[in-house]
Amino acid sequence: MRLLLATWNINSIRPRAEPLRRLIAYERPDILCLQETKVADDHFPHGLAQELGYGHRLVRGEPGYNGVAILSRVPLIPLPHRDFCRKGDCRHLAARLPGGIELHNLYVPAGGHVADPRANPKFAHKLAFLDEVARWLKRQRAGNGLILAGDLNVAPLPADVWSHEKLLGVVSHTPIEVEALERIRAAKGFTDALRHFIAPETKLYSWWSYRARDWRASDRGRRLDHIWVTAPLASRLSSAHVLKDARDWSPPSDHAPVLAGLEIEHDIALARPEPRR
DNA sequence: ATGGTTGTGCGACAA
């Protein structure tokens, strides 16, 4: 059977109930990783998620900023989350899925505007965060498969931005960030699910600024949201796409959901989660 | 275009 995984920077979950309903109506993902939920845990809309069929949930939020959640139709075993850069912010959640697959939902700092870590502490934080993730991942066991999904806030390929030349100095596409992201990818030999199916030369974005008069017409996008899988899962990838239409759903997030399908054993899909070690 | 928009929570920030 196919396990459909989605990641979406929802830019606040509370005003986005209708877009969330539409995502479920259009795609019905089995597992949904959310970033920028912008809600403290005691205000998370559990009722909405439950109503949409997500009986298994991990949420980790703070008031106003950041915040991650994993909504699932299949059982989740919570795994320890990391506090990268020790800021006490909410940018990572991890879970074990049936079949011993590990899922990591990550929200990488955006990094501010100035692409100089000496002049811009936010950019320094982003680079330190990416470096820490890479070093931590190297120590992780890949086991039956790792999935890294989330808003990684880096567009790695020239075709992941509307103009490679114009964005070389713009935070999200600078060579230093692309190199840092590549170290994360190389740490476990991840396969980029979208680029597994879509040629690297094909323009592909998952984010369009709110500031454009007509985001679709100007199409100045960037591919900031990613689903990566390790080798045991790469051979099981059956589909991947960006749900671009969601950028128009009212009220829109500035990010569109990214989805990937994995063909997994039927008995794994139905298996009860393994006991926590 | 030192712009432009959105969310949070009610004034700046962060994106």
Side-chain angles (χ1 to χ4, degrees), chain A residues 16-32:
Chain A
R16 228 71 75 195
E18 285 314 307
L20 192 58
R21 286 183 203 282
R22 279 186 92 165
L23 172 61
I24 306 325
Y26 274 61
E27 300 279 356
R28 209 178 161 78
D30 299 289
I31 301 173
L32 174 56

Side-chain angles (χ1 to χ4, degrees), chain A residues 13 32-35 37 44 58-60 67-71 93 105:
Chain A
I13 190 170
L32 174 56
C33 294
L34 297 172
Q35 304 84 36
T37 51
F44 190 90
L58 298 179
V59 303
R60 187 168 169 236
V68 282
I70 303 174
L71 310 184
L93 273 175
N105 179 12

Side-chain angles (χ1 to χ4, degrees), chain A residues 82-93:
Chain A
R82 300 284 304 188
D83 179 16
F84 296 111
C85 296
R86 290 178 171 269
K87 285 187 173 282
D89 52 6
C90 297
R91 297 181 176 276
H92 175 239
L93 273 175

